[in-house]
Amino acid sequence: MLAPTSLLLVVSTLAVTLVSASITHNLAYDSPSFRVRSLGTDRGEVQKRHKRWEYYDGELKFPYGVASGDPWPDSVILWTHPVPSTLDPRPVCLEYQVSPTNGTGESWSTLASGQVWTTSDVDYSYKVEATGLQPKTTYYYRFANCADETNVSPVGRFKTIPEEWDDQVEDVSFAVYSCSNYPFGFFNAYGNVARKDSVDYAVHVGDYIYEYQGDGCSDENACYGDGRDINRVPQPNKEIFTLGEYRQRYATYRSDPDLQLLHQLHAWQLVWDDHEVADNTWKSGSADSNDTIKGSYNGTSFTQRKANAVKAYFEWLPIRTVDTDDKLRIWRTFKFGTLADMIMIDTRQYNRDLTDLYYTTADVEAIKNDDPRSLMGGRQENWLYGQMRNVSTRGAQWKIIGQQIVFAHLELVDDVDAWDGYTANRRRVIDTIHDNAIDNVIVISGDSHANWVSDIAYDNRTGYDRTTGSGAYGVEFAGTGVSSPSSFGYNSTLNGPYPPAYYTAVSQKLVGNATVNQELQWAEGATRGYFELHLSRTNATAKYYGIADVRTRNTNETLLATFVVEDKANKLSRPVAGGEVKGGSLRGSA
Ligand SMILES: *[C@@H]1O[C@H](CO)[C@@H](O)[C@H](O)[C@H]1NC(C)=O
Ligand SMILES: *[C@@H]1O[C@H](CO)[C@@H](O)[C@H](O)[C@H]1NC(C)=O
Ligand SMILES: *[C@@H]1O[C@H](CO)[C@@H](O)[C@H](O)[C@H]1NC(C)=O
Ligand SMILES: *[C@@H]1O[C@H](CO)[C@@H](O)[C@H](O)[C@H]1NC(C)=O
Ligand SMILES: *[C@@H]1O[C@H](CO)[C@@H](O)[C@H](O)[C@H]1NC(C)=O
Ligand SMILES: *[C@@H]1O[C@H](CO)[C@@H](O)[C@H](O)[C@H]1NC(C)=O
Ligand SMILES: *[C@@H]1O[C@H](CO)[C@@H](O)[C@H](O)[C@H]1NC(C)=O
Ligand SMILES: *[C@@H]1O[C@H](CO)[C@@H](O)[C@H](O)[C@H]1NC(C)=O
Ligand SMILES: *[C@@H]1O[C@H](CO)[C@@H](O)[C@H](O)[C@H]1NC(C)=O
């Protein structure tokens, strides 16, 4: 919009300040780093290209909806991605507006707002921190076109978290997600929770997008998804490497209505796994890329590819930049009063030692017990143990460790890309619990495309009784994928699952042996879905929801099993799942 000429003369100096202030508040320019300037987008350069007082004055559309994330007691990250109706080089200006009520006219009372700009430099991502909020409070928010206040986005909603020392918090709940693979199926798992309105927050522990090709794949191992039959071919229709390609992939995912609805209704807390960058990443490469000439893909080195992926991630997701000059750190803790801490770690991209790259399986098998091997690097490990110890000092009751890969020791799976490939790191986590007598640790995991519920024990299971659970150091809740195909097996000819009996047989085998997989109490691999984690002063309850059909968009889900962990019991309550499940197999009943 062009300011009236008379006013323009008066305010032209001021306008410079305003523009710079408004670009400053768009955190997308800090992606992926606000301190290493060359990694972010230079705001000064952006401003030089634009007439400073002029922004786009046409209609804006909001095809990717709205989102909020990383709630704190007094602030939150708000996100949208406006699209101008006509191609236009000018910046886009939006006013974010936060209100305690949802409604138009008088029932909408804006209490936090700001006019902020976005440009093509950041793919029109718009990411701001709304501040000055009250703890434990539900708010509504929207984005209005600065040029036309009637041109507004859909209204979103979020809840701030309690203050750290608040001991009046009686409950908090999360829907926990992983592995949402667009061409493999519909995101019913997201839509169901939004429609039920059954939790406070959404947590995603990684594989929010997939980088590989969704159509016409040649290599069955690296790429077996095909979205053609359900009209879900992700764009671009190729494996992605460049910044533009990662951005386009996010745009495909975020056009999904169920994903949009869950983002609209809940603040999310996310950490990435491997596929936000590439398959089976570790600190220096992935299954199909690294920094040698041979391993770089069409000229894109792994290091460049990772930077591209991370930049697009920060642009598209409502996550705070934690300390991005520190190797793109995203590990961070959310404190829900004295009831719970959600300690989110990055076992994947930050500083993981060599993983299973398919051609290194035997190598990793040979070194998996080496003491120095780490999933996190020393700095993050020390931080994690500090958080675990510190929270017990502060008195937060539940310590939830939000992370990517399956933690339990599973001989019959032996996935050396999971904690089983880094056994000394697992031992150090359990040592921290043991040495400091830390109660109420719950590890939550994704990555595996199946459900696994376990007590936590040392690999040698010293002192652990699989029947009673005594001697356990906590509990792991690992969830299946939103839509990624079962790791128990998938019929690629049929492009669909095997019959249910097949999965029951696999799960029985996994829990049916008294000497192996001992801490595993429930395994299920037939359904896609998520679990809800409800924390209270007396117990933590996990409700696992299974979705049999993701090849259509539908609301059908089954409550497969409910698990309870009593305060300070540090093990699953017996009988596990009340002795009754509607899918998979329980140890003891197999
Ligand atoms: C706010 O109200 C509008 C109009 O009734 C409705 O469409 C929208 O879903 C509401 N948003 C939230 C987050 O409740
Ligand atoms: C890089 O990838 C290529 C191709 O996959 C592989 O042959 C090579 O060993 C890898 N190099 C390193 C250093 O991992
Ligand atoms: C690599 O480049 C060639 C030639 O441009 C192209 O055909 C191929 O699809 C590219 N491969 C990937 C994985 O992008
Ligand atoms: C421990 O917790 C307190 C209170 O949250 C915080 O101020 C302090 O920095 C924490 N210490 C460490 C080592 O994390
Ligand atoms: C089992 O492992 C723990 C942790 O490494 C160790 O402290 C303990 O001595 C081991 N017990 C036996 C019987 O080997
Ligand atoms: C996979 O599906 C195809 C096509 O329906 C079927 O012929 C084949 O028997 C299935 N394979 C298994 C192992 O069930
Ligand atoms: C249990 O697993 C062990 C180790 O793999 C194996 O030797 C044994 O035969 C299994 N027992 C049964 C009943 O399958
Ligand atoms: C768990 O805690 C909730 C909230 O206090 C309570 O309603 C529920 O009955 C408890 N469940 C069990 C099994 O104790
Ligand atoms: C819902 O899913 C369950 C479990 O697969 C199935 O038994 C039931 O028939 C489905 N219901 C509908 C209405 O599709």
Side-chain angles (χ1 to χ4, degrees), residues 548 556-558:
N556 191 14
E557 63 178 22
T558 304

Side-chain angles (χ1 to χ4, degrees), residues 251-533:
T252 298
Y253 276 64
R254 290 292 273 281
S255 60
D256 181 277
D258 292 300
L259 177 54
Q260 277 188 21
L261 193 61
L262 194 67
H263 271 301
Q264 185 182 349
L265 293 184
H266 295 283
W268 287 43
Q269 294 135 35
L270 302 106
V271 278
W272 51 44
D273 194 8
D274 53 335
H275 289 284
E276 283 86 347
V277 178
D279 186 33
N280 281 20
T281 40
W282 61 296
K283 65 185 171 195
S284 303
S286 74
D288 77 352
S289 55
N290 57 48
D291 280 347
T292 65
I293 288 167
K294 218 177 143 197
S296 74
Y297 233 115
N298 281 6
T300 309
S301 69
F302 172 75
T303 299
Q304 182 62 54
R305 182 185 194 184
K306 181 170 170 176
N308 297 340
V310 166
K311 187 169 170 57
Y313 183 88
F314 277 106
E315 284 176 353
W316 279 83
L317 292 170
I319 176 177
R320 289 171 194 266
T321 37
V322 181
D323 191 1
T324 45
D325 51 349
D326 179 14
K327 287 183 130 186
L328 310 174
R329 166 181 171 179
I330 57 168
W331 25 286
R332 61 205 191 283
T333 300
F334 296 95
K335 298 173 186 237
F336 297 86
T338 60
L339 178 64
D341 280 8
M342 174 74 72
I343 305 166
M344 304 195 78
I345 60 176
D346 176 0
T347 63
R348 189 55 85 167
Q349 310 292 352
Y350 181 72
N351 210 355
R352 170 191 279 240
D353 287 317
L354 183 67
T355 193
D356 182 358
L357 306 174
Y358 309 119
Y359 62 91
T360 60
T361 311
D363 304 288
V364 176
E365 276 293 341
I367 60 172
K368 67 181 179 184
N369 298 321
D370 286 1
D371 266 353
R373 270 173 70 70
S374 179
L375 280 162
M376 285 170 264
R379 193 167 130 71
Q380 187 184 181
E381 270 198 52
N382 283 331
W383 173 86
L384 170 63
Y385 308 144
Q387 292 292 300
M388 291 168 67
R389 284 195 297 267
N390 199 17
V391 292
S392 29
T393 311
R394 180 174 119 252
Q397 191 173 333
W398 300 98
K399 294 95 193 171
I400 314 300
I401 301 178
Q403 57 94 50
Q404 297 76 25
I405 49 179
V406 172
F407 186 84
H409 175 39
L410 302 174
E411 295 95 324
L412 290 182
V413 181
D414 194 31
D415 177 4
V416 292
D417 182 55
W419 286 82
D420 271 333
Y422 303 78
T423 61
N425 197 159
R426 176 165 55 208
R427 191 188 67 233
R428 290 191 287 274
V429 172
I430 301 174
D431 279 346
T432 302
I433 300 172
H434 173 91
D435 297 349
N436 299 282
I438 299 174
D439 283 318
N440 294 335
V441 173
I442 293 179
V443 175
I444 60 175
S445 328
D447 181 68
S448 80
H449 313 179
N451 289 313
W452 316 86
V453 170
S454 307
D455 290 323
I456 290 174
Y458 277 119
D459 286 16
N460 64 16
R461 290 158 183 142
T462 291
Y464 173 66
D465 181 325
R466 68 175 188 280
T467 308
T468 63
S470 73
Y473 289 98
V475 166
E476 176 180 27
F477 292 121
T480 191
V482 166
S483 57
S484 294
S486 177
S487 53
F488 287 14
Y490 178 82
N491 188 335
S492 51
T493 314
L494 183 65
N495 200 17
Y498 292 122
Y502 166 90
Y503 295 101
T504 307
V506 176
S507 62
Q508 279 175 0
K509 195 168 170 216
L510 288 165
V511 298
N513 187 316
T515 56
V516 293
N517 288 3
Q518 283 191 41
E519 52 271 65
L520 179 66
Q521 298 295 325
W522 180 62
E524 193 277 336
T527 60
R528 310 303 87 218
Y530 64 95
F531 66 92
E532 290 182 6
L533 183 61

Side-chain angles (χ1 to χ4, degrees), residues 87-166:
L87 277 179
D88 196 295
R90 289 174 296 180
V92 162
C93 177
L94 287 175
E95 181 172 281
Y96 69 89
Q97 302 170 339
V98 180
S99 163
T101 52
N102 178 19
T104 49
E106 282 179 13
S107 58
W108 182 278
S109 69
T110 297
L111 51 82
S113 69
Q115 294 202 342
V116 176
W117 299 43
T118 185
T119 59
S120 59
D121 305 84
V122 290
D123 194 27
Y124 291 106
S125 286
Y126 183 102
K127 191 166 149 181
V128 293
E129 182 184 18
T131 56
L133 308 176
Q134 295 300 310
K136 306 193 266 196
T137 306
T138 297
Y139 290 99
Y140 298 83
Y141 64 98
R142 66 187 181 193
F143 304 91
N145 188 342
C146 298
D148 173 7
E149 63 181 26
T150 65
N151 179 193
V152 291
S153 71
V155 173
R157 186 190 67 178
F158 65 87
K159 190 187 281 182
T160 52
I161 65 176
E163 283 176 305
E164 182 176 345
W165 299 98
D166 186 341

